[in-house]
């Protein structure tokens, strides 16, 4: 059994740390917010007075923080200077590829094994231990990373070297943002043409329009009972988080010279939707903006 320092026990990290405790690991938790620490203590984590204190006792450090700036700051000030030699360092936050590579390089220069391991799956998957992890690390480190992450996972996939996990995550979520908008436009046009949306679903789901956004996460209420569209788009994957990932994809496209015009359109549409005050709805709620029926989101 390992001693794991877990830094960042918010919506995602809280459930993830709880699953590590359930698997028999000793988890030393640190967060800036007292309520997050209280919840972690309730799940059986030991609470540290600082990130440095948590890190100093650990065999493994996991960070689950909002964005690249937080990860750079915590890894440079707390993790790398205070970890014991031999400690495995894993960042599970969704951050920009450059920050992921920068912290991996700093860790490697200080003699540590490190991985970026962002997740697919939201708060429910974090609580249930069914996240998909996309891992960027050296080949010889992957087996060890996989073993640590397994109690929180339905899948742990090696994407490549440092930063490859973040690259896989933002490419996947750009596909998702574009495909959701395509499905929403299909429903909006079907409605204007007088086509029954349920019939359109039946036909498109058995035709070449079939995709995850249509058949697993249908934005039109009704055809897929488990989709957030059936509960006024509450919960699920927030439009604000989709916007964050689309911004990361556009920044990566600009830096690498990739051509992603549909990703740029998706970013603009989700920025508009969030700017209209609906960023805390599930991302499939963008259907109501395209239908001109935002009042239905009240
Ligand atoms: P959150 O804001 O709920 O949690 C982040 C936590 O980090 C907070 O509790 C905050 O207090 C803590 N924190 C910030 N700076 C800190 C510091 N210096 N030291 C210690 N703690 C610090 O965010 P979340 O929803 O848990 O998301 C975490 C990451 O996972 C993000 O990068 C997000 O993009 C990604 N993600 C989220 C979801 C989701 O559905 N929420 C899904 C997939 C990926």
């Amino acid at each position: 059994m390992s001693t794991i320092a877990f830094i960042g026990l918010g919506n995602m990290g809280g459930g993830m740390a709880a699953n590590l405790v359930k698997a028999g690991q000793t988890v030393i938790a640190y967060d800036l917010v007292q309520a997050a620490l209280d919840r972690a203590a309730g799940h059986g984590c030991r609470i540290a007075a600082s990130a440095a204190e948590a890190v100093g006792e650990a065999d493994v450090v996991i960070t689950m923080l909002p964005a690249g700036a937080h990860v750079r700051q915590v890894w440079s000030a707390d993790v790398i200077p205070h970890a014991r030699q031999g400690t495995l360092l894993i960042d599970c936050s969704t951050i920009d590829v450059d920050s992921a590579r920068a912290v991996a390089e700093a860790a490697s220069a200080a003699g540590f094994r490190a991985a970026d391991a962002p997740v697919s799956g939201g708060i429910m998957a974090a609580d249930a231990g069914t996240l998909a992890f996309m891992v960027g690390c050296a080949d010889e480190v992957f087996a060890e990373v996989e073993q640590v992450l397994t109690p929180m996972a339905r899948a742990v996939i090696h994407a490549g070297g440092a930063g490859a996990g973040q690259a896989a995550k933002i490419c996947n979520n750009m596909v998702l943002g574009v495909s959701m908008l395509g499905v929403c436009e299909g429903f909006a046009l079907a409605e204007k043409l007088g086509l029954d949306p349920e019939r359109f679903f039946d036909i498109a789901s058995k035709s070449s329009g079939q995709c995850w956004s249509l058949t697993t996460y249908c934005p039109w209420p009704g055809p897929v009972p488990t989709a957030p569209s059936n509960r006024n788009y509450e919960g699920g994957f927030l439009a604000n988080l989709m916007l964050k990932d689309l911004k990361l994809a556009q920044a990566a496209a600009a830096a690498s010279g990739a051509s992603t015009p549909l990703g740029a359109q998706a970013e603009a549409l989700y920025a508009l939707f969030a700017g209209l005050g609906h960023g805390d709805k599930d991302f499939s709620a963008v259907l109501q903006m395209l239908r001109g029926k935002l009042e239905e989101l009240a």
Side-chain angles (χ1 to χ4, degrees):
M1 290 299 119
S2 311
T3 299
I4 301 176
F6 205 113
I7 302 173
L9 297 126
N11 290 320
M12 297 292 289
M16 292 165 69
N19 284 317
L20 291 171
V21 173
K22 273 188 214 149
Q25 312 290 12
T26 299
V27 178
I28 309 179
Y30 181 71
D31 195 289
L32 298 176
V33 173
Q34 188 58 42
L37 291 176
D38 293 345
R39 186 167 80 118
H43 286 133
C45 298
R46 257 178 60 199
I47 305 304
S50 66
E53 181 188 303
V55 166
E57 291 186 49
D59 309 311
V60 178
V61 175
I62 298 178
T63 49
M64 191 55 168
L65 298 165
H70 305 86
V71 174
R72 283 182 189 256
Q73 199 266 326
V74 167
W75 277 50
S76 64
D78 301 314
V79 175
I80 293 173
H82 295 283
R84 299 179 301 198
Q85 272 306 314
T87 303
L88 174 65
L89 313 181
I90 306 174
D91 177 48
C92 294
S93 327
T94 300
I95 65 172
D96 56 289
V97 176
D98 285 349
S99 290
R101 292 198 172 132
V103 296
E105 261 170 42
S108 170
F112 293 103
R113 299 166 340 284
D116 52 289
V119 302
S120 176
I123 299 163
M124 281 167 60
D127 289 346
T130 55
L131 293 166
F133 288 84
M134 306 161 210
V135 181
C137 67
D139 290 348
E140 61 275 18
V141 177
F142 178 68
E144 201 186 345
V145 173
E146 184 179 29
Q147 195 182 15
V148 171
L149 299 179
T150 292
M152 305 180 280
R154 74 177 151 76
V156 182
I157 304 157
H158 191 197
Q166 298 295 349
K169 162 92 186 178
I170 60 175
C171 292
N172 178 74
N173 280 18
M174 186 178 75
V175 171
L176 177 62
V178 168
S179 79
M180 178 55 75
L181 286 162
V183 168
C184 290
E185 286 193 1
F187 275 109
L189 178 59
E191 183 182 31
K192 287 279 186 210
L193 296 176
L195 194 56
D196 173 30
E198 301 259 352
R199 293 275 174 92
F200 171 60
F201 174 86
D202 288 343
I203 292 164
S205 63
K206 293 177 185 63
S207 305
S208 47
Q210 191 281 329
C211 64
W212 187 92
S213 293
L214 179 71
T215 51
T216 303
Y217 215 83
C218 185
W220 193 280
V224 178
T226 50
S229 53
N230 299 293
R231 24 177 221 276
N232 197 25
Y233 305 94
E234 297 297 341
F237 181 43
L238 302 190
N240 275 336
L241 287 174
M242 173 53 84
L243 178 58
K244 173 191 169 182
D245 293 354
L246 289 167
K247 282 180 187 294
L248 289 174
Q250 285 312 294
S256 66
S259 173
T260 56
L262 292 178
Q265 278 293 317
E267 183 203 345
L269 283 164
Y270 275 103
L272 178 62
F273 187 62
L276 290 168
H278 302 293
D280 59 351
K281 290 286 185 185
D282 178 73
F283 81 116
S284 64
V286 73
L287 169 70
Q288 303 304 351
M289 183 173 79
L290 295 170
R291 290 176 70 216
K293 297 269 170 78
L294 275 173
E295 69 279 6
E296 293 193 7
L297 287 180

